[in-house]
Amino acid sequence: MGLFTKDIKTMNDLFVHQLQDIYYAEQQLTKALPKMASKATDPQLKQGFLTHLEETKQHVSRLEEVFKMQGVAVKAVDCPAIDGIIEEADETVGEVADKAVLDAALINAAQAAEHYEIVRYGSLIAWAKRLGHNDCASVLAKTLEEEKATDKKLTTLAESKVNLRAAS
Ligand SMILES: [Fe+2]
Ligand SMILES: [Fe+2]
C-alpha cells in the first residue's frame, strides 16, 4: 500500500485488504500467545492462552480458505495496530514485578487483541454479506464466535479471581 497510490478502489478491494491485514495480525498472534502463556501464573489463564493459540492457528487456515474462495493470492500486509498492541503488552509485562498483577496485565493485553479482532471480523463479515460472498461470511463467522468467546472467558477469569488476587 503506497502513500501516494490509491490501491483500494472498490469495496471488494477494501475487503481483500482487510483480509490481508487480519491475516498478518493472526500470524503475529500465533507468535505472541505462547509467550503470554509462558508468562501467565494462573493455570487457567495459561491454559486459556494455549487453547486460544490452537484456535488462532485455525483462524490463519480459515483466512487462507477465504483467500482461495475469493480467487486471490494468500498475502499478509503489515498491520501497525496489532504490532502496537503486542509491543505495548511486552513493555507493560516487562514492567510488572508482582506475579498476580502480571496476570491482570496479561488479561488486559489479550483483551485488547481480541477486541481488535472482533472489530475487524465484524466488518469483514458485514462486507462479505453485502458483496454477496456468503460462503466467506460463514467461514469468518466461525472465527468471530471464537474471538468473542475468548474475550468473555478472559472477563470471567479477571472478575472471578485474577483482579481480586492482584489487588490484595
Ligand atoms: Fe484470531
Ligand atoms: Fe483471538
Side-chain angles (χ1 to χ4, degrees):
M1 201 59 39
L3 262 184
F4 302 104
T5 57
K6 292 201 165 127
D7 296 332
I8 302 172
K9 294 185 177 73
T10 65
M11 190 68 176
N12 205 68
D13 293 342
L14 181 64
F15 176 68
V16 172
H17 180 264
Q18 294 300 64
L19 278 178
Q20 295 168 338
D21 173 292
I22 196 73
Y23 185 58
Y24 173 90
E26 294 283 18
Q27 286 176 325
Q28 296 313 110
L29 290 168
T30 61
K31 294 181 211 159
L33 281 162
K35 291 186 202 156
M36 292 170 87
S38 74
K39 285 180 182 136
T41 308
D42 182 89
Q44 234 180 312
L45 181 59
K46 197 181 268 291
Q47 187 50 54
F49 284 140
L50 293 174
T51 302
H52 198 52
L53 169 63
E54 290 316 306
E55 288 174 346
T56 300
K57 289 178 188 165
Q58 278 290 310
H59 301 171
V60 171
S61 326
R62 283 192 196 125
L63 286 168
E64 288 165 356
E65 204 182 312
V66 173
F67 279 117
K68 279 182 201 125
M69 284 170 165
Q70 281 291 290
V72 295
V74 175
K75 188 186 145 192
V77 292
D78 283 359
C79 168
I82 203 72
D83 285 339
I85 289 172
I86 294 171
E87 202 179 303
E88 193 187 32
D90 280 347
E91 276 173 25
T92 310
V93 161
E95 284 163 10
V96 180
D98 184 278
K99 295 261 184 214
V101 177
L102 178 64
D103 279 350
L106 284 168
I107 291 181
N108 181 236
Q111 286 192 291
E114 292 315 311
H115 283 222
Y116 178 76
E117 292 182 290
I118 289 167
V119 168
R120 291 304 199 202
Y121 280 108
S123 296
L124 279 168
I125 293 164
W127 297 342
K129 285 182 185 161
R130 178 58 54 201
L131 291 163
H133 309 319
N134 290 328
D135 50 349
C136 299
S138 60
V139 172
L140 296 167
K142 289 183 212 161
T143 297
L144 179 59
E145 281 319 301
E146 289 171 1
E147 311 294 18
K148 284 185 181 167
T150 301
D151 181 49
K152 267 203 194 108
K153 275 192 237 164
L154 288 165
T155 298
T156 306
L157 203 52
E159 290 178 351
S160 66
K161 58 174 172 175
V162 172
N163 290 352
L164 204 71
R165 214 183 286 143
S168 67

